[in-house]
């Protein structure tokens, strides 16, 4: 009966994954042909994925975290990228990323990422890169960021063609193709990554950028929240609750509750808690200082400490004897000066010794001779009793409980009361080094739907979805919700699809139809979609930007396609330059007014026409 009610514990160990440097691949033969195979780079804020667009079975060859570590003042060649860093935690304060949220802003780090990708794909980027490049970018990417990216690729690497696309739209395109959905595709994409989440409506195969929505709540906010909760819960394990372990907890042990409040009520039950709580075992040493030891072990420890104390005493006696002997020899030398009649040298040495007379010198000599004789005697007749008499001069033993008898010579060793073995407290070191992860398993992923616990004053995922749908007509809403697509690494929580379906059921009108689809591989489908698009659209066609177009239309130019952003050119109206004020001159009124009007009016006319021409040219 006792075993029937025995609780079932779930104890897990942290994997503490160690990364290994990426291998350097040989470039495939197709990449050297006149029509070189494109390189596909999914430039994610958490992980970068890169590979060749060769065939439909091709997978990304490089997967590494989008971080670089370089000490201040270190050479460029000493920078560690992604998997070159075996453990991120010791170098966490050195890590740099090219992203500010989900937008690339640090192009020095971005250049290091491209160097790492090209070098490990077997491409020498010293001269130029002759392969077309497909790069993912953020939804509604700022024109300045695209301009800097194009400048980096065309000017630094001399690539022939570049194509930009949105990672979640590539994933949408890939999964629709796998499910044999006929284009043009219509639906709404719910994407959540490491820094941001997006609601992206797609109508007739084109991204509706005007009505999309971004939330600054995603995986990084959940990880920071979970780390803060665990560090407050276990203040004795602050250093052990690292960001890497917290991310492992989120990826492997967290889930989305279909009904958040009902799930929290279940956790109030002790039986449910014992059954569902995950005990995360931290690494620890099995040796317990001051733990329960047997009588034999205590006697052995006393004997070891006694031997150590005797050795320390003998060494100190020898050192003190040598010091006394050296000082005695010096004083004897000074006394010999007096005996030889060298009074000047004698008085000079007395001043150096801070002594006043020969009698004081003789007194010190007698004391040192006595001390030297006693020291030699102790060295010859040292025993354990003498070692105990000088314990007070030594440092305290490491174990204070076992060193009491050694410090007091009047306290016999055999009269120490021995505590019974069963009275010793039993301390479970393994349980002390366990993190009980209970409601945190669902509270932290819930930030995606309710960001308020972290102080974020913004909408959750489903509230933002409702806001976006409200901007369309009822017919468009029916078409959009018929294909609700979930993608992104932060969508991998168990129960995510069921939660979205439940929220949509409460949101949509009675008896309305909708369909929620999860990406086959939410974290990798963006790369697969970009690969499929590159295979179906050869370089130079729709969606590709050539070097000539870059030079003619500028770095912010974008060639649109089914998975890209919309290109909205930057319309800059040149302001009229203010003419410098001319000094006033008194001119007769009879002849000047008509002349002044005739001279000023022609001067204004060309500038206005030039501004109008510039505006019309940019708009076209």
């Amino acid at each position: 009966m006792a075993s029937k009610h025995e609780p079932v514990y779930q104890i897990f160990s942290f994997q503490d994954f160690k990364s290994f440097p990426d291998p350097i691949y040989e470039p495939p033969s197709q990449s050297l042909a006149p029509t070189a195979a494109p390189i596909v780079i999914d430039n994610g804020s958490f992980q970068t994925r890169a590979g060749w667009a060769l065939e439909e079975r091709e997978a990304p060859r490089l997967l590494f975290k989008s971080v670089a570590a370089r000490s201040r003042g270190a050479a460029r060649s000493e920078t560690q990228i992604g998997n070159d860093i075996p453990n991120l935690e010791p170098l966490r304060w050195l890590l740099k990323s090219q992203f500010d949220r989900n937008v690339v802003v640090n192009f020095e780090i971005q250049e290091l990422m491209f160097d790492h990708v090209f070098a490990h794909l077997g491409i020498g980027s010293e001269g130029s890169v002759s392969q077309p490049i497909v790069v993912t970018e953020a939804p509604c990417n700022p024109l300045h960021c695209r301009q800097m990216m194009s400048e980096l690729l065309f000017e630094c690497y001399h690539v022939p063609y570049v194509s930009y696309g949105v990672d979640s739209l590539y994933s949408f395109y890939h999964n629709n193709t796998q499910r044999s959905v006929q284009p043009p595709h219509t639906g709404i994409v719910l994407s959540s990554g490491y820094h941001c989440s997006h609601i992206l409506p797609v109508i007739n195969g084109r991204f509706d950028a005007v009505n999309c929505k971004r939330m600054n709540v995603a995986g990084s906010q959940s990880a920071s929240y979970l780390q803060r909760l665990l560090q407050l819960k276990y203040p004795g394990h602050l250093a052990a609750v690292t960001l890497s372990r917290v991310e492992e907890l989120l990826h492997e042990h967290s889930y989305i509750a279909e009904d958040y409040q009902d799930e929290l009520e279940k956790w109030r039950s002790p039986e449910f808690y014992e059954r569902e709580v995950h005990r995360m075992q931290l690494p620890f040493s099995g040796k317990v200082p001051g733990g329960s030891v047997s009588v034999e072990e205590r006697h052995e420890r006393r004997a070891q400490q006694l031997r150590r104390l005797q050795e320390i005493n003998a060494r100190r006696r020898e050192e003190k004897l040598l010091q006394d002997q050296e000082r005695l020899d010096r004083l004897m030398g000074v006394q010999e000066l007096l005996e030889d009649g060298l009074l000047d040298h004698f008085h000079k040495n007395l001043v150096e010794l801070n002594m006043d007379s020969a009698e004081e010198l003789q007194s010190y000599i007698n004391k040192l001779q006595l001390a030297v004789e006693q020291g030699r005697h102790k060295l010859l007749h040292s025993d354990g009793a003498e070692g105990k008499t000088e314990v007070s001069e030594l440092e305290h033993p490491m174990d204070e409980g076992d060193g009491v008898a050694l410090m007091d010579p009047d306290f016999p060793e055999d009269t120490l009361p021995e505590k019974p073995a069963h009275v010793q407290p039993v301390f479970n070191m393994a349980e002390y080094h366990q993190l009980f992860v209970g409601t945190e398993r669902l509270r932290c992923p819930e930030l995606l739907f309710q960001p308020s616990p972290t102080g974020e004053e913004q909408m959750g995922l489903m509230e933002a979805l409702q806001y976006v749908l409200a901007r369309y007509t009822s017919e468009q809403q029916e078409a959009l919700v018929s294909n609700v697509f979930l993608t992104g690494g932060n969508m991998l929580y168990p129960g995510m699809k069921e939660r979205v379906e439940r929220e949509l059921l409460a949101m949509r009108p009675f008896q309305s139809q909708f369909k929620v689809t999860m990406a086959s591989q939410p974290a990798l489908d963006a790369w697969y979609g970009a690969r499929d698009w590159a295979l179906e659209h050869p370089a130079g066609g729709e969606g590709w930007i050539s070097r000539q177009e870059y030079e003619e239309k500028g770095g912010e130019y974008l060639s649109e396609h089914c998975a890209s952003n919309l290109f909205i050119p930057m319309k800059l109206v040149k302001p009229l330059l203010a003419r410098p004020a001319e000094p006033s001159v008194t001119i007769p009124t009879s002849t000047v007014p008509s002349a002044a009007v005739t001279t000023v009016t022609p001067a204004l006319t060309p500038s206005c026409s030039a501004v109008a021409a510039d505006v019309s040219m940019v708009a076209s």
Side-chain angles (χ1 to χ4, degrees):
M1 294 297 293
S3 61
K4 181 178 180 181
H5 299 284
E6 195 172 303
V8 179
Y9 299 137
Q10 298 187 71
I11 301 178
F12 302 88
S13 297
F14 285 104
Q15 300 297 321
D16 289 337
F17 296 105
K18 304 293 183 183
S19 59
F20 299 94
D22 295 313
I24 298 179
Y25 295 94
E26 290 292 332
S29 57
Q30 296 91 325
S31 66
L32 306 177
T35 56
I39 298 175
V40 179
I41 302 175
D42 180 12
N43 196 29
S45 59
F46 179 73
Q47 191 179 54
T48 300
R49 307 161 191 91
W52 297 93
L54 296 176
E55 54 185 11
E56 293 186 357
R57 297 189 303 274
E58 185 72 19
R61 300 193 178 187
L62 299 177
L63 293 96
F64 58 91
K65 287 193 174 182
S66 303
V67 290
R70 180 172 60 180
S71 302
R72 181 176 298 178
R76 183 187 181 93
S77 59
E78 297 177 6
T79 305
Q80 295 177 293
I81 305 292
N83 293 333
D84 293 341
I85 310 171
N87 187 5
L88 293 178
E89 295 310 321
L91 301 177
R92 180 71 67 179
W93 63 283
L94 281 177
L95 297 182
K96 298 179 179 64
S97 175
Q98 69 268 42
F99 286 91
D100 181 5
R101 293 195 182 272
N102 65 331
V103 176
V104 179
V105 295
N106 191 337
F107 287 90
E108 181 183 0
I109 302 298
Q110 184 63 64
E111 183 180 353
L112 293 174
M113 296 292 171
F114 282 149
D115 287 344
H116 182 83
V117 168
F118 296 144
H120 286 79
L121 289 179
I123 302 172
S125 59
E126 293 296 332
S128 63
V129 176
S130 59
Q131 288 80 8
I133 307 294
V134 179
V135 185
T136 60
E137 63 178 8
C140 301
N141 193 34
L143 294 183
H144 172 72
C145 297
R146 186 183 302 124
Q147 178 184 1
M148 296 297 293
M149 184 70 77
S150 296
E151 181 179 342
L152 177 63
L153 290 171
F154 282 113
E155 302 293 345
C156 182
Y157 296 101
H158 303 284
V159 298
Y161 295 96
V162 173
S163 178
Y164 297 106
V166 180
D167 49 3
S168 50
L169 296 183
Y170 276 133
S171 179
F172 183 64
Y173 171 82
H174 173 69
N175 282 268
N176 284 331
T177 304
Q178 281 189 330
R179 291 185 285 122
S180 301
V181 178
Q182 295 299 322
H185 305 138
T186 298
I188 191 161
V189 180
L190 275 63
S191 171
S192 183
Y194 190 62
H195 286 296
C196 298
S197 301
H198 294 89
I199 308 293
L200 308 177
V202 179
I203 298 178
N204 295 327
R206 290 295 181 179
F207 169 44
D208 185 7
V210 177
N211 295 318
C212 70
K213 194 70 178 173
R214 184 186 88 166
M215 293 81 66
N216 293 326
V217 175
S220 64
Q221 287 77 15
S222 298
S224 299
Y225 184 51
L226 178 56
Q227 185 180 29
R228 189 161 67 247
L229 288 179
L230 291 179
Q231 286 181 343
L232 289 173
K233 189 176 180 180
Y234 298 99
H237 300 305
L238 290 179
V241 184
T242 61
L243 191 58
S244 299
R245 286 175 175 168
V246 166
E247 290 173 356
E248 181 183 337
L249 282 176
L250 281 176
H251 297 161
E252 304 294 336
H253 302 276
S254 299
Y255 67 97
I256 294 289
E258 187 173 346
D259 189 318
Y260 182 63
Q261 295 300 330
D262 288 351
E263 192 71 16
L264 285 180
E265 288 297 325
K266 292 180 183 178
W267 279 91
R268 291 179 179 273
S269 170
E271 294 79 10
F272 184 88
Y273 178 86
E274 292 294 338
R275 186 174 65 252
E276 296 297 330
V277 68
H278 284 196
R279 301 186 175 197
M280 305 304 301
Q281 184 66 62
L282 295 172
F284 69 98
S285 175
K287 296 182 179 180
V288 185
S292 58
V293 293
S294 63
V295 178
E296 292 78 7
E297 291 177 348
R298 293 176 66 87
H299 282 294
E300 179 63 25
R301 186 179 298 176
R302 285 194 181 92
Q304 291 178 358
Q305 286 187 347
L306 181 60
R307 286 193 296 269
R308 187 173 68 249
L309 291 173
Q310 291 174 350
E311 293 173 358
I312 293 174
N313 285 335
R315 186 168 60 253
R316 289 196 174 185
R317 288 195 193 96
E318 292 178 359
E319 294 174 356
K320 189 174 183 302
L321 180 61
L322 290 176
Q323 292 175 0
D324 292 344
Q325 185 64 50
E326 290 177 358
R327 185 169 177 81
L328 178 61
D329 293 341
R330 184 182 179 188
L331 295 181
M332 294 294 292
V334 174
Q335 192 177 32
E336 290 178 358
L337 293 176
L338 178 60
E339 295 174 355
D340 295 341
L342 303 175
L343 297 180
D344 294 337
H345 292 286
F346 173 74
H347 289 295
K348 184 178 179 181
N349 283 280
L350 277 183
V351 172
E352 291 179 357
L353 294 173
N354 197 18
M355 294 183 185
D356 298 330
S357 62
E359 291 78 9
E360 185 177 358
L361 176 63
Q362 185 62 43
S363 174
Y364 273 99
I365 291 175
N366 296 335
K367 291 180 182 179
L368 284 177
Q369 288 176 343
L370 180 61
V372 169
E373 291 179 2
Q374 289 179 352
R376 290 173 179 171
H377 180 73
K378 287 181 180 179
L379 284 178
L380 294 175
H381 302 87
S382 60
D383 53 10
E386 292 180 357
K388 292 182 181 180
T389 57
E390 297 186 6
V391 171
S392 58
E393 301 177 3
L394 307 178
E395 298 177 354
H396 291 288
M398 294 178 62
D399 193 338
E400 295 180 1
D402 294 337
V404 174
L406 301 178
M407 296 173 64
D408 191 356
D410 298 328
F411 193 76
E413 183 178 349
D414 54 354
T415 60
L416 273 177
E418 295 292 343
K419 294 183 179 180
H422 64 276
V423 179
Q424 293 290 339
V426 178
F427 184 73
N428 192 339
M429 285 292 291
E431 187 172 345
Y432 174 74
H433 287 84
Q434 286 177 3
L435 306 180
F436 287 61
V437 185
T439 56
E440 294 86 1
R441 295 177 55 203
L442 67 149
R443 288 169 61 192
C444 297
E446 185 66 20
L447 293 181
L448 191 59
F449 298 92
Q450 302 181 44
S452 56
T454 59
E456 294 284 349
E457 297 181 357
Q458 54 182 318
M459 295 183 289
L461 186 69
M462 300 309 297
E463 191 178 354
L465 174 62
Q466 187 175 10
Y467 174 83
V468 171
L469 289 175
R471 302 173 69 90
Y472 295 96
T473 64
S474 57
E475 293 79 9
Q476 290 176 324
Q477 291 182 22
E478 291 292 335
L480 288 172
V481 299
S482 64
N483 189 6
V484 179
F485 180 69
L486 310 180
T487 186
N490 202 39
M491 291 288 184
L492 287 170
Y493 297 114
M496 176 64 75
K497 180 181 177 182
E498 292 77 9
R499 174 65 176 272
V500 173
E501 289 175 343
R502 188 179 186 279
E503 298 277 355
L504 271 174
L505 183 63
M507 183 190 309
R508 298 296 298 153
F510 179 63
Q511 290 186 344
S512 62
Q513 301 295 322
F514 60 86
K515 183 180 180 181
V516 180
T517 306
M518 177 70 75
S520 57
Q521 299 183 70
L524 294 177
D525 277 353
W527 188 90
Y528 287 118
R531 178 206 61 188
D532 295 345
W533 182 89
L535 290 174
E536 296 177 7
H537 297 79
E542 178 190 5
W544 292 93
I545 306 170
S546 65
R547 183 175 181 83
Q548 182 180 359
E549 290 175 324
Y550 160 75
E551 294 174 348
E552 292 177 356
K553 301 178 182 180
E556 70 273 5
Y557 173 69
L558 173 68
S559 180
E560 297 181 10
H561 56 87
C562 61
S564 71
N565 281 303
L566 296 182
F567 176 54
I568 303 176
M570 188 183 302
K571 297 181 180 180
L572 297 176
V573 179
K574 296 181 180 179
L576 292 175
L577 298 177
R579 299 183 63 184
E582 298 180 357
S584 59
V585 181
T586 58
I587 303 176
T589 57
S590 58
T591 59
V592 171
S594 59
V597 171
T598 56
T599 55
V600 171
T601 304
L604 291 176
T605 304
S607 61
C608 294
S609 62
V611 171
D614 292 340
V615 173
S616 63
M617 181 179 65
V618 172
S620 62

